[in-house]
């Protein structure tokens, strides 16, 4: 069965963006941007990053040619669209486990830096904070891809999984 590019993959309702605070490694930023492009993000962003998106060589899809990227110098500079919920992704005790989280239709997901956590002011600004149920922190770009996959799986229409093992 061939898949028509306009109907595959199924498009989730709403829109989303993804970014990171104080990003310091261009390869991680590039991987995150490439995944965001692949999963259908509306835009990507950084807050207080030391690397700019243009330096993100791992973004082989050249996402900046296809969707906006915002480099906000400070948290005060961050300007999300009206009604967009800010969702922090961090291993915090009070965070919602990702498998139990209901994704907002309009969301901007933000991850912390490679060698740290989301800043307290950013966590306070978040409407929700979620965590991926892992034993320890994983790579920023990988964490972003897991959250984007969960969003697509939750908000797009896919065929039900078969009762037994394997495919239909």
């Amino acid at each position: 069965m061939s898949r028509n590019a306009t109907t595959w993959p199924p498009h989730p309702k709403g829109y989303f963006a993804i970014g990171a605070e104080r990003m310091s490694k261009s390869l991680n930023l590039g991987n995150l941007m490439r995944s965001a492009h692949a999963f259908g993000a509306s835009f990507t962003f950084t807050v207080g990053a030391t690397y700019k998106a243009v330096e993100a060589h791992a973004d082989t899809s050249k996402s900046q040619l296809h969707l906006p990227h915002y480099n906000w110098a400070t948290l005060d500079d961050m300007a999300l669209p009206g009604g967009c919920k800010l969702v922090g992704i961090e291993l915090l005790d009070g965070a919602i486990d990702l498998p139990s989280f209901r994704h907002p239709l309009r969301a901007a997901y933000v991850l912390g830096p490679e060698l740290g956590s989301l800043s307290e002011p950013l966590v306070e600004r978040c409407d929700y904070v979620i965590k991926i149920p892992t034993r320890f922190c994983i790579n920023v770009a990988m964490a972003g891809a897991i959250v984007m996959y969960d969003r697509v799986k939750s908000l797009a229409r896919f065929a039900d999984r078969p009762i037994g093992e394997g495919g239909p």
Side-chain angles (χ1 to χ4, degrees), residues 21-22 29 32-33 36 39 43-44 59 72 79 83 86 91 101 104 112 124 126 134 152 158:
E21 182 187 34
R22 301 182 332 269
L29 178 58
L32 182 64
M33 291 172 64
F39 280 112
F43 63 93
T44 58
D59 180 11
W72 291 308
L86 185 60
L91 281 176
F101 181 63
E124 289 173 8
C126 288
T134 57
V152 169
F158 290 91

Side-chain angles (χ1 to χ4, degrees), residues 9-159:
H11 298 287
K13 297 176 182 177
Y15 68 83
F16 78 94
I18 193 159
E21 182 187 34
R22 301 182 332 269
M23 196 76 158
S24 64
K25 296 184 176 157
S26 64
L27 287 176
N28 281 337
L29 178 58
N31 282 327
L32 182 64
M33 291 172 64
R34 183 175 192 272
S35 294
H37 184 202
F39 280 112
S42 296
F43 63 93
T44 58
F45 64 93
T46 55
V47 180
T50 56
Y51 275 91
K52 302 293 183 219
V54 74
E55 299 167 351
H57 302 295
D59 180 11
T60 56
S61 75
K62 299 184 183 354
S63 65
Q64 287 186 77
L65 299 176
H66 307 283
L67 60 145
H69 178 84
Y70 301 98
N71 286 307
W72 291 308
T74 69
L75 185 55
D76 290 336
D77 296 329
M78 186 186 332
L80 296 175
C84 184
K85 301 293 184 185
L86 185 60
V87 181
I89 304 167
E90 189 64 73
L91 281 176
L92 296 176
D93 287 337
I96 302 165
D97 286 322
L98 179 61
S100 302
F101 181 63
R102 293 202 178 266
H103 295 269
L105 284 180
R106 297 170 292 183
Y109 301 92
V110 62
L111 298 119
E114 295 91 345
L115 298 173
S117 301
L118 290 173
S119 68
E120 190 59 35
L122 194 137
V123 170
E124 289 173 8
R125 186 164 169 182
C126 288
D127 296 288
Y128 307 98
V129 178
I130 61 174
K131 63 183 173 185
I132 300 168
T134 57
R135 294 183 182 160
F136 48 85
C137 291
I138 58 175
N139 175 276
V140 171
M142 180 181 286
I146 290 169
V147 170
M148 289 184 281
Y149 172 81
D150 189 76
R151 179 184 174 84
V152 169
K153 177 74 174 104
S154 298
L155 296 178
R157 294 184 183 256
F158 290 91

